[in-house]
Amino acid sequence: MLGDADTTGAVGRPRPGAGHDEPAPPRAAAVALRQVAEQILLLLGPVIALDDDLTWRSPWQQRCHARIDAWASALAAGARLARERADVLDLAATAGQATTGHATAGHAAVPVPPGRLVVRQPERLRSTGPPGPVDVRFSVERLAELAHRLRAAGHEAVRLLARLGPTGRAVGVCHGLDLVAAQAGEMAEAIDRRLTEIAAAESLARRPVPSPDQAWRPADRPAPRLAAPRLAARGSAAPEGLAAGLAMLIGTDPLRLGVAELAEISVRLARLAPGELTSVIGGLRGRPLEVLAAAVALAPSRLDLSTLRRLPAVVALGDLILRQAPASMVGEVARLFPGLEPPVVEQGPSWIRALGPSASTGGFVRRGHGRSPVWVRGATAADVGQGRLGDCYFLAALLGVVHADPGLLREHLRENANGTVTVTLYTGHGPRAASGAGSAGRGAVEITVTRSLPVDRRTGQEIGADTDNADGDPELWPALYEKAYARLAGSYAGIEGGDPAAAMRQLTGAEAVGVPAADVEVPDIAGRLAAGDVVTVVTRNRPGNGSTLVPAHAYTILGADEHTGRVLLRNPWDQTASDDRLDWHSWEEIRAELAGVQCGSTRRRS
C-alpha cells in the first residue's frame, strides 16, 4: 500500500516484520508515488505511437481513437494527483509531521474533489460540425502490432494497480488505470476479430463462397452435434473458402477450441488432398495459426474421460501442419506448435554439465541445413557418427539396421515438398525401456522434423549425430533420425542413456531381446547376422585391466568368424581418415567385459 512503501520504491509490498498499521516514512512513500506517476504517464506511449492514420482509418477507428484519448486523459489526471500527494508527503517529512495530522503517510488519504477526476472530451476529436465520409484504409501488420501493445498496456495497468493498493485508489490515482485494465484487452480482441474477418473476406473475394455443408462450419453457426468444422467431399469447395471458414472457426480465443473440436479439425484436415491442405494451411498464416497452436498447447490440461481418446489426433495436428505447410511457413509452424522442435536440455544430464556453465538451453542455437542432401549414396554404416550426446545405444542400433537392411531406413524417412522430413518410428517402449521380448507390429507413428539442428553457441559445433559422411560430404539422414527420436523422447537430453534393444524395436517395429553375454557363442552371432538381424553389445561400467573397449558403451557387431572365434565391432563414434572404428576382437577375451548382448529382427525375419 502507499503507506507501506519500502526504500526500494515498491508500493503495495509491506516490509518483512512490519505490521499493516505501521506507516512508511513519508519521504519513501513520496519517492514511490513519483515513480508510479512516471510509469502511468508512459503507459500508453507505445499505443499512441501506432494510433494514427498509417495504421487504420475508419469510423470504428475514430471511436477507438476517442476511447484511447479518454484513457490518456484519465491517466494524466491520476499521475498529477500522485505527484501532488507526493509533494504533501515531502512537506510532512520536512516539517516533521510524519505521524500526525493529515500528512500521515499510513493513515487515510486526503479526499479528492470529484471535479478533479472528470475526463473531458479530447481536443483532437471534439465535434466541429456534421460528420463527413471517412476514407477506410488500414495496415494489417501495424494493426496486429497495435493489438499486441494494447494487451501489454492492459497487463501493465493491472500490475500498477496491484502496486498502488487501496490507499492509492483512495487518493484518486487509479481511475485511468482501471479504464486501461478493463478495456485495452477488449479492444485488442476486437482488432483481432476484424483482422480475421478481413483475411476471410480477402480469401472469399477471390473464389465463390462454399455453402455451409461444403466448407468449415463458421464459429457463429452451431453444428447440430459437435461445434467442429464440416467438410464436403474432396474437391467440392475451393481451398481459399475452406481456409476462410476455418479461420473464422478458430477465432481469436484459444479457450474456445476444446479437445473434441481440435481432434475433429485434425481428422478433417488429414482427409484433404496434399495440394488442398497446403493451400488451406497457407490461409491460416498469422493470428489464426497462433490461436490454433495455443489451443493445441492447452489441450492436455483440458482432458477428461470423454475426450482422452481424442488426444492423439490433437497431438498429430502439429505434425500434419508442419508436413504440409508452405515452405515459407515452416519456421513459423515449428516455432508456434509445442514439441515440433525438441529442446536440447531438460534437467541437465552429465554430458550437459561437462560442457561448462554456459551449456544450458540458452547456450544452444539451431543451424539450418536446407540445402544439405538427406542421402548421397543411400544409407551406409559409414554415414553414422556419434556426436556429443550420450546416445551410443541408439546409434549402435541404427548402425545395425543400416547394415542389415539399409532399404528399411530409406523407406522410413520421407522427404516432404516443403523441405521437412517425416520419419516413421514405432511406439510401445521408451528409450529407457528394459530389455525384453517386444511384440512385432506395434503402432507406427510418423514424426515430422525440420532440417534445423542444435549447435553449441560457443563453439559452433553440432551436438548431435554427424551431418556428413565418411567422405566429408553433407548427408543428413542419421541426424534427422536422431532428431525424430529426440522428439519421441521429449528432448535431446531425454535420449541420453538407453537400451539398444528398445531402440531396435522403435526403429523397426520388430522383436528385439537382450541376453547375457555368457549365453551367446560366435556361431549364434554368425547365424543372426546371416538371417539379417541386428546384433549389438554393451560394455560394463568397469572393464578389465588392459581392455581396449570403452566402458559403459554400445557397439554394433557387423561380422563374426566362426573359425577364429572373432567378432567385428563397430564403435558408433565418428569415423576419421586414420580410424574407421572397426576392430576384430576375440569373443572369449571380451565376453567378460560385456554387460549384455542385444539382438533384433528386421523385416527380413519379422
Side-chain angles (χ1 to χ4, degrees):
M1 309 307 170
L2 287 177
D4 295 327
D6 60 21
T7 57
T8 65
V11 183
R13 185 176 62 230
R15 299 184 305 278
H20 289 286
D21 295 328
E22 180 183 350
R27 190 79 69 185
V31 171
L33 272 173
R34 289 192 177 89
Q35 291 176 346
V36 172
E38 182 179 356
Q39 294 172 12
I40 290 175
L41 288 174
L42 296 176
L43 180 63
L44 286 183
V47 172
I48 293 174
L50 279 182
D51 180 27
D52 57 19
D53 288 349
L54 293 177
T55 299
W56 53 345
R57 181 177 175 84
S58 70
W60 179 65
Q61 178 268 344
Q62 289 188 350
R63 294 193 295 272
C64 293
H65 195 70
R67 181 175 294 186
I68 292 173
D69 268 0
W71 299 345
S73 177
L75 289 171
R80 183 175 64 251
L81 290 172
R83 288 196 297 267
E84 290 175 357
R85 178 63 177 169
D87 292 341
V88 171
L89 293 173
D90 278 341
L91 289 173
T94 302
Q97 299 175 352
T99 59
T100 60
H102 67 277
T104 302
H107 296 169
V110 177
V112 180
R116 297 292 300 277
L117 293 180
V118 173
V119 180
R120 296 175 176 81
Q121 186 179 11
E123 286 288 341
R124 58 178 177 173
L125 285 179
R126 288 181 184 173
S127 177
T128 58
V134 178
D135 179 24
V136 177
R137 58 178 181 267
F138 56 87
S139 166
V140 173
E141 294 78 10
R142 288 173 67 91
L143 267 179
E145 176 61 23
L146 177 60
H148 171 74
R149 295 185 182 186
L150 282 166
R151 287 192 185 86
H155 295 326
E156 178 65 8
V158 172
R159 187 189 70 82
L160 290 174
L161 285 169
R163 185 178 180 187
L164 285 166
T167 306
R169 187 172 301 280
V171 171
V173 176
C174 298
H175 179 60
L177 293 174
D178 286 334
L179 292 176
V180 176
Q183 300 176 9
E186 294 178 358
M187 187 180 294
E189 290 296 329
I191 292 174
D192 284 338
R193 284 195 298 272
R194 281 161 174 77
L195 289 176
T196 301
E197 292 165 1
I198 290 167
E202 289 177 345
S203 296
L204 292 174
R206 292 192 292 266
R207 294 289 182 92
V209 181
S211 68
D213 288 333
Q214 290 178 315
W216 303 94
R217 183 176 298 276
D220 58 354
R221 183 176 300 174
R225 297 170 58 187
L226 175 67
R230 292 179 59 190
L231 194 64
R234 181 175 295 177
S236 63
E240 291 85 351
L242 298 178
L246 180 56
M248 293 179 67
L249 168 66
I250 292 171
T252 61
D253 185 0
L255 294 177
R256 291 181 58 193
L257 290 174
V259 175
E261 288 80 5
L262 290 171
E264 187 68 14
I265 289 174
S266 180
V267 170
R268 300 293 183 176
L269 283 177
R271 293 176 181 172
L272 291 174
E276 292 176 327
L277 180 54
T278 299
S279 297
V280 169
I281 295 171
L284 301 180
R285 187 190 305 268
R287 181 62 179 168
L289 191 68
E290 292 177 1
V291 174
L292 184 61
V296 171
L298 290 170
S301 64
R302 305 175 68 190
L303 288 173
D304 55 35
L305 291 178
S306 64
T307 57
L308 184 61
R309 60 185 177 85
R310 297 177 179 266
L311 184 60
V314 176
V315 174
L317 186 56
D319 273 275
L320 176 64
I321 293 176
L322 180 62
R323 183 164 63 246
Q324 291 296 146
S328 61
M329 290 181 63
V330 166
E332 180 183 6
V333 173
R335 174 178 58 84
L336 291 175
F337 280 82
L340 293 185
E341 288 289 359
V344 175
V345 184
E346 281 185 330
Q347 296 179 351
S350 59
W351 66 270
I352 286 292
R353 293 193 294 270
L355 297 180
S358 67
S360 62
T361 304
F364 298 95
V365 294
R366 296 190 180 275
R367 176 182 297 161
H369 291 269
R371 297 185 178 181
S372 299
V374 177
W375 315 96
V376 175
R377 290 180 296 273
T380 68
D383 302 333
V384 180
Q386 184 180 355
R388 300 165 67 185
L389 293 169
D391 61 347
C392 57
Y393 70 98
F394 173 73
L395 294 177
L398 193 69
L399 274 167
V401 174
V402 72
H403 177 73
D405 191 356
L408 178 66
L409 295 178
R410 188 73 181 256
E411 292 173 12
H412 282 187
L413 191 153
R414 181 177 72 252
E415 297 185 64
N416 301 316
N418 60 9
T420 62
V421 298
T422 300
V423 177
T424 299
L425 297 175
Y426 295 85
T427 59
H429 294 269
R432 305 177 193 278
S435 297
S439 59
R442 58 179 53 86
V445 56
E446 291 190 337
I447 300 174
T448 300
V449 295
T450 69
R451 301 193 192 196
S452 297
L453 300 170
V455 175
D456 188 334
R457 189 191 301 272
R458 297 176 306 162
T459 64
Q461 295 180 347
E462 288 169 342
I463 67 165
D466 281 349
T467 55
D468 52 17
N469 55 30
D471 297 329
D473 299 322
E475 190 163 8
L476 297 179
W477 72 265
L480 295 176
Y481 261 100
E482 183 185 60
K483 183 175 181 178
Y485 198 61
R487 266 204 61 193
L488 194 65
S491 69
Y492 279 95
I495 64 174
E496 190 195 50
D499 176 19
M504 293 177 201
R505 290 191 290 266
Q506 291 179 301
L507 285 169
T508 67
E511 181 181 352
V513 297
V515 296
D519 297 342
V520 179
E521 303 293 340
V522 174
D524 301 325
I525 298 174
R528 284 279 194 168
L529 294 176
D533 287 357
V534 180
V535 184
T536 61
V537 296
V538 175
T539 59
R540 298 183 182 277
N541 292 336
R542 295 180 180 179
N545 294 332
S547 173
T548 59
L549 299 180
V550 179
H553 193 54
Y555 291 81
T556 309
I557 299 182
L558 300 182
D561 188 337
E562 297 184 51
H563 300 292
T564 63
R566 297 188 304 164
V567 294
L568 179 63
L569 297 186
R570 164 67 201 276
N571 189 330
W573 289 352
D574 187 25
Q575 291 181 321
T576 66
S578 59
D579 189 350
D580 59 7
R581 309 297 183 186
L582 287 166
D583 292 290
W584 285 96
H585 294 268
S586 167
W587 182 249
E588 289 299 325
E589 292 179 359
I590 68 170
R591 179 155 47 181
E593 302 176 17
L594 302 179
V597 179
Q598 301 79 36
C599 306
S601 302
T602 63
R603 61 184 174 184
R604 290 169 58 183
R605 283 278 299 272
S606 60

